[in-house]
Amino acid sequence: MKNIINCFNNIFEKNSLNTLLAILFLVYFCIAVFLVIPTGTFYYDEGWAANIGYHIANGEVLYKDISAPYGPVVFYVYAFLISMFGKQFVIFRVFGNINNNLTILFLCKNN
């Protein structure tokens, strides 16, 4: 542990810019962890995408009625799954597992 501390001390003594960058990073990290990321919502993005898919399946228009910060493919896939199987969250997990397994299979097959 002392070796790690000495290494950091040597780096920061040589260049005050490194110290400033490290402090800015730590401040940013603390803000991101404690203020921006809600606690206890590990599957927030998945549920959010499923909710947007639900709204699309009910006739709302993406980017007109619903705001989304990234591409539309996952939302339309979720909307298709909701229209086929209903509003059951386990379907998204099953589809995700199948998708991940097929991706691994194709990647391993090409190597």
Side-chain angles (χ1 to χ4, degrees):
M1 185 68 173
K2 287 185 178 183
N3 291 337
I4 295 172
I5 293 171
N6 288 335
C7 179
F8 280 114
N9 284 338
N10 289 337
I11 291 171
F12 293 135
E13 284 177 0
K14 292 178 184 176
N15 191 350
S16 63
L17 181 62
N18 287 345
T19 306
L20 177 65
L21 290 175
I23 291 170
L24 289 175
F25 174 76
L26 289 173
V27 168
Y28 173 77
F29 179 78
C30 289
I31 289 172
V33 168
F34 297 115
L35 296 179
V36 176
I37 301 171
T39 57
T41 56
F42 299 108
Y43 303 110
Y44 180 74
D45 196 43
E46 184 180 22
W48 180 64
N51 187 38
I52 292 174
Y54 173 75
H55 287 288
I56 292 172
N58 288 326
E60 294 185 34
V61 179
L62 186 62
Y63 305 121
K64 180 181 176 190
D65 300 324
I66 309 163
S67 174
Y70 48 87
V73 174
V74 70
F75 305 125
Y76 285 112
V77 169
Y78 279 11
F80 174 74
L81 291 173
I82 288 171
S83 64
M84 293 298 291
F85 301 107
K87 188 180 171 184
Q88 296 182 11
F89 203 69
V90 70
I91 298 298
F92 303 128
R93 294 290 172 93
V94 170
F95 176 77
N97 286 331
I98 292 170
N99 186 29
N100 291 341
N101 289 331
L102 288 175
T103 302
I104 292 170
L105 177 72
F106 288 129
L107 287 175
C108 292
K109 201 173 194 179
N110 290 333
N111 288 330

